[in-house]
Amino acid sequence: MKMKRKGIIRFLTLFFTLVMIINNTVLNVYGIQTNFTRKDLYKAAQKTIKYYYDNYKDKEFRGLLDWPALGLFGFGEDVSGPKWTVNGKNAAYWREMEVRKGIRLSKVKNTDFQRTIIGVCAAGKDPRDFGGLNLVEIEKSTMLPNGHFADSVADNKTGKPIGEDLINAHIFGVISLHCAGEPIPNRDKCLEWLEKQQHSDGGFTWDVKYFDDPEDYKLVESDVDMTAAALMAFAILGEDESNPVVARALQFLHDRQLDNGGFHSWGTENPESCSWVILALTLLGQDPMGKEWTKPGGGNPVTAMMRFQLKDGSFTHVLNEEDMLPIYDNGMSTEQALYGMASAYHNKCVFDMLHEKYRPEAEKKLFSDYKPGQFAFKETMDLVYDYVLSGYPDGTFRPNKPVTRAEFTSILVNALGLKREKKKYRASNKFNDIDENHWANGSIGVCASRGFVKGVSEKSFSPDSYITGEQLMTILVKAAGLENEARKKKVKGKGWAFGYIQVAKEKGLLFKGFNSKKAVNRAQCAWCIAKFRNLLKK
């Protein structure tokens, strides 16, 4: 009996030893533990940070801008602070000297300006006053009438932004302004232009394709990196999986995710592709280390990316799959891996982190005639950044300008997230003063079909008339689904809108100085819409 027991013990010992050897072999093949945590990620990132410090200190940190600074910022490193300054010089100092001389800032390449904005923000400097340039206003000026950020900042002949071939220039126009704390100008057209660039496989490429034969478009093979970049732009523009274009792009990434959780681009598995996917997912509110993006073997975009880290903290671009030895290291791999690590560690994209830092200052300079402290400024800014409201091309907001009835239907559609419904609206309104070509036909049609608005008469909507307080409150109460409550509060002799105004008052929708018969201005409208949206969330 004792002999049998000893034999069993020996067998179990041998069995578990083999299991451990197999597990260790698997872990070594993949180069990183499958139970890799964010704590592990932080430790690995510190090695990369030390690598940058050790390798750039003797250069007075010249060259850390633009991209390396982004990852350093993501881990709380101030590349303009004392730690990263030698002899009074640091990365921002050297980059500003270059900007003044036009070095790595060619006007025929918009991407030069875009990455400079990102780097300047990562270094904690002012992108509106760097090297004598207002980089933000320059970038905003490159948006073409069709919503595309031009390929160039200034053509050599005309001095104007031109070029509609580069999808990456468009995407990084969105990303760079977001990092500078700005809302994206002409958001709807900007979004529409990008949506049109999606290929049959659901992905995106770095440039626009032009073919004579329509069948050739079906043969385009999209790129993981650019698809991830497009998703970054979509997220910044306020889109998510409810947008079919976004859903298809995410499916493209799912379909191309490797069994170890990573990605490849141009036929080569690499850390950069993993990093770009991490940025996209965190911008969309998804966890790159979560179940949805973790393969059965335990690998995900983060663990796959970390396989490429070298002992000194840097990253290699490619591995020899036979023995997992690095073939060569690569500066681009290291910088992209670091800001990928930062986004994964915080489960928040570094671009969003910069946006939150720079938005307060951007808000102060967004409109020439509307500043902090004025009525409804905060409420208005929230609506502007959510693309419910916008200013005018001349840089004004005109808070005291009365709102027309047509304008308010457009604002309400935006506030309710009905833009796609408006876009699909093709019917003619029942109103004689609104035809299919009227700019607000879709907005008025959607609001009328949902019972939110009525005409001033059976056949007239009067789109250019200013909306009054009682009209605005009636529409908001109806849109909030509170019409029955308003009808119950109706009092004979008190006017047709009395019940609606009473409900609006109870729900906190009446602005200070409310006058039922007086036209509502843009600031007052913004205040009401902000309170209305809060009401819908309850």
Side-chain angles (χ1 to χ4, degrees), residues 97-129:
M97 294 301 101
E98 290 181 338
V99 168
R100 291 187 184 279
K101 298 175 182 179
I103 298 173
R104 294 194 295 135
L105 198 68
S106 170
K107 290 186 177 181
V108 298
K109 293 197 302 183
N110 199 352
T111 50
D112 275 6
F113 284 77
Q114 293 158 356
R115 63 174 172 75
T116 301
I117 290 174
I118 296 170
V120 169
C121 292
K125 298 299 182 180
D126 186 358
R128 296 167 186 82
D129 183 14

Coordinates of all heavy atoms in Angstrom, one line a residue, residues 97-129:
M97 N 13.3 76.0 -31.8 CA 14.4 76.5 -32.6 C 14.2 76.0 -34.1 O 14.3 76.7 -35.0 CB 15.7 76.1 -32.1 CG 16.1 76.7 -30.8 SD 16.2 78.5 -30.8 CE 14.6 78.9 -29.9
E98 N 13.8 74.7 -34.2 CA 13.6 74.1 -35.5 C 12.4 74.8 -36.2 O 12.4 75.1 -37.4 CB 13.3 72.6 -35.4 CG 14.6 71.8 -35.0 CD 14.3 70.4 -34.9 OE1 13.1 70.0 -34.7 OE2 15.3 69.6 -35.0
V99 N 11.3 75.0 -35.4 CA 10.1 75.6 -36.0 C 10.3 77.0 -36.5 O 9.9 77.3 -37.6 CB 8.9 75.6 -34.9 CG1 7.8 76.5 -35.4 CG2 8.5 74.2 -34.6
R100 N 11.1 77.7 -35.8 CA 11.4 79.1 -36.3 C 12.2 79.1 -37.6 O 12.1 80.0 -38.4 CB 12.3 79.8 -35.2 CG 11.5 80.2 -33.9 CD 12.3 81.0 -33.0 NE 11.6 81.3 -31.8 CZ 10.6 82.2 -31.6 NH1 10.3 83.0 -32.6 NH2 10.1 82.3 -30.4
K101 N 12.9 78.0 -37.8 CA 13.7 77.9 -39.1 C 13.0 77.1 -40.1 O 13.5 76.9 -41.2 CB 15.1 77.3 -38.8 CG 15.9 78.1 -37.9 CD 17.2 77.4 -37.5 CE 18.1 78.2 -36.5 NZ 19.4 77.4 -36.2
G102 N 11.8 76.6 -39.8 CA 11.0 75.8 -40.7 C 11.6 74.3 -40.9 O 11.2 73.7 -41.9
I103 N 12.4 73.9 -40.0 CA 13.0 72.6 -40.0 C 11.9 71.5 -39.6 O 11.3 71.7 -38.6 CB 14.2 72.4 -39.1 CG1 15.3 73.4 -39.6 CG2 14.7 71.0 -39.1 CD1 16.5 73.5 -38.7
R104 N 11.7 70.5 -40.4 CA 10.7 69.5 -40.1 C 9.3 70.1 -40.0 O 8.5 69.7 -39.2 CB 11.0 68.6 -38.9 CG 12.3 67.8 -39.0 CD 12.4 66.8 -37.9 NE 12.5 67.3 -36.6 CZ 11.8 66.9 -35.5 NH1 11.0 65.9 -35.7 NH2 12.1 67.5 -34.4
L105 N 9.1 71.1 -40.8 CA 7.8 71.8 -40.8 C 7.6 72.4 -42.2 O 7.5 73.6 -42.5 CB 7.8 73.0 -39.8 CG 6.4 73.5 -39.4 CD1 5.7 72.4 -38.6 CD2 6.6 74.7 -38.5
S106 N 7.4 71.5 -43.2 CA 7.2 71.8 -44.5 C 5.7 72.2 -44.8 O 4.8 71.4 -44.4 CB 7.6 70.7 -45.5 OG 7.2 70.9 -46.8
K107 N 5.5 73.3 -45.5 CA 4.1 73.7 -45.7 C 3.4 72.8 -46.8 O 2.2 72.9 -46.9 CB 4.1 75.2 -46.2 CG 4.4 76.1 -45.1 CD 4.2 77.6 -45.5 CE 4.5 78.5 -44.3 NZ 4.3 80.0 -44.7
V108 N 4.2 72.0 -47.5 CA 3.5 71.1 -48.4 C 3.1 69.8 -47.8 O 2.5 69.0 -48.4 CB 4.5 70.9 -49.7 CG1 4.8 72.1 -50.4 CG2 5.7 70.2 -49.2
K109 N 3.4 69.7 -46.5 CA 3.0 68.5 -45.7 C 2.3 68.9 -44.5 O 2.9 69.3 -43.5 CB 4.3 67.6 -45.4 CG 5.0 67.0 -46.6 CD 5.9 65.9 -46.1 CE 6.9 66.3 -45.2 NZ 7.9 65.2 -44.8
N110 N 1.0 68.8 -44.5 CA 0.2 69.1 -43.4 C 0.5 68.3 -42.2 O 0.4 68.7 -41.0 CB -1.3 69.0 -43.7 CG -2.2 69.8 -42.8 OD1 -1.8 70.3 -41.8 ND2 -3.5 69.8 -43.1
T111 N 0.9 67.0 -42.4 CA 1.2 66.1 -41.3 C 2.4 66.7 -40.4 O 2.5 66.4 -39.3 CB 1.5 64.7 -41.8 OG1 2.5 64.8 -42.8 CG2 0.3 64.0 -42.3
D112 N 3.3 67.5 -41.0 CA 4.3 68.1 -40.3 C 3.8 69.0 -39.2 O 4.2 69.0 -38.0 CB 5.2 68.9 -41.2 CG 6.3 68.1 -41.8 OD1 6.3 66.8 -41.7 OD2 7.2 68.6 -42.5
F113 N 2.8 69.8 -39.6 CA 2.1 70.7 -38.6 C 1.3 69.9 -37.6 O 1.3 70.3 -36.4 CB 1.3 71.7 -39.3 CG 2.0 72.8 -40.0 CD1 2.7 72.5 -41.2 CD2 2.2 74.1 -39.5 CE1 3.4 73.5 -41.9 CE2 2.9 75.0 -40.1 CZ 3.5 74.8 -41.3
Q114 N 0.7 68.9 -38.0 CA -0.2 68.1 -37.1 C 0.6 67.4 -36.0 O 0.3 67.5 -34.8 CB -1.0 67.1 -37.9 CG -2.0 67.8 -38.8 CD -2.4 66.9 -40.0 OE1 -1.9 65.8 -40.2 NE2 -3.4 67.3 -40.8
R115 N 1.7 66.8 -36.4 CA 2.5 66.1 -35.4 C 3.2 67.1 -34.5 O 3.5 66.8 -33.3 CB 3.5 65.1 -36.0 CG 4.6 65.8 -36.9 CD 5.6 64.8 -37.3 NE 6.5 65.3 -38.3 CZ 7.5 66.1 -38.1 NH1 7.7 66.5 -36.8 NH2 8.3 66.6 -39.0
T116 N 3.5 68.3 -35.0 CA 4.2 69.3 -34.2 C 3.2 69.8 -33.1 O 3.6 70.0 -32.0 CB 4.6 70.5 -35.1 OG1 5.6 70.0 -36.0 CG2 5.3 71.6 -34.2
I117 N 1.9 70.0 -33.5 CA 0.9 70.4 -32.5 C 0.9 69.3 -31.4 O 0.9 69.7 -30.2 CB -0.5 70.5 -33.1 CG1 -0.5 71.8 -34.1 CG2 -1.6 70.6 -32.1 CD1 -1.8 71.9 -34.9
I118 N 0.8 68.1 -31.7 CA 0.7 67.0 -30.7 C 2.0 67.0 -29.8 O 1.8 66.9 -28.6 CB 0.6 65.6 -31.4 CG1 -0.7 65.6 -32.2 CG2 0.7 64.5 -30.4 CD1 -0.9 64.4 -33.1
G119 N 3.1 67.2 -30.4 CA 4.4 67.2 -29.6 C 4.4 68.4 -28.7 O 4.9 68.3 -27.6
V120 N 4.1 69.6 -29.2 CA 4.1 70.8 -28.4 C 3.2 70.7 -27.2 O 3.5 71.0 -26.1 CB 3.7 72.0 -29.3 CG1 3.4 73.2 -28.4 CG2 4.8 72.3 -30.3
C121 N 2.0 70.1 -27.4 CA 1.0 69.9 -26.3 C 1.6 68.9 -25.3 O 1.5 69.1 -24.1 CB -0.3 69.4 -26.9 SG -1.2 70.7 -27.8
A122 N 2.2 67.8 -25.8 CA 2.8 66.8 -24.9 C 3.9 67.4 -24.1 O 4.1 66.9 -22.9 CB 3.3 65.6 -25.7
A123 N 4.5 68.4 -24.6 CA 5.6 69.1 -23.8 C 5.1 70.2 -22.9 O 5.9 70.9 -22.3 CB 6.6 69.7 -24.8
G124 N 3.8 70.4 -22.9 CA 3.2 71.4 -22.0 C 3.3 72.8 -22.5 O 3.1 73.8 -21.8
K125 N 3.6 73.0 -23.8 CA 3.8 74.3 -24.4 C 2.5 74.8 -25.1 O 1.5 74.0 -25.3 CB 4.9 74.4 -25.3 CG 6.3 74.1 -24.7 CD 6.6 75.1 -23.6 CE 7.9 74.8 -22.9 NZ 8.3 75.8 -21.9
D126 N 2.5 76.0 -25.5 CA 1.3 76.6 -26.1 C 1.3 76.4 -27.6 O 2.1 77.1 -28.3 CB 1.2 78.1 -25.8 CG -0.1 78.8 -26.3 OD1 -0.9 78.1 -26.9 OD2 -0.3 80.0 -26.0
P127 N 0.4 75.6 -28.2 CA 0.4 75.4 -29.6 C -0.1 76.6 -30.4 O 0.0 76.6 -31.6 CB -0.5 74.2 -29.8 CG -1.5 74.3 -28.7 CD -0.6 74.8 -27.5
R128 N -0.6 77.6 -29.7 CA -1.1 78.8 -30.4 C -0.1 79.9 -30.4 O -0.3 81.0 -30.9 CB -2.4 79.3 -29.7 CG -3.5 78.3 -29.8 CD -4.7 78.6 -28.8 NE -5.7 77.6 -28.9 CZ -5.6 76.4 -28.3 NH1 -4.6 76.2 -27.4 NH2 -6.5 75.5 -28.4
D129 N 1.1 79.6 -29.8 CA 2.2 80.5 -29.8 C 3.5 79.8 -29.6 O 4.0 79.7 -28.5 CB 2.0 81.6 -28.7 CG 3.1 82.7 -28.7 OD1 3.9 82.7 -29.7 OD2 3.3 83.4 -27.7

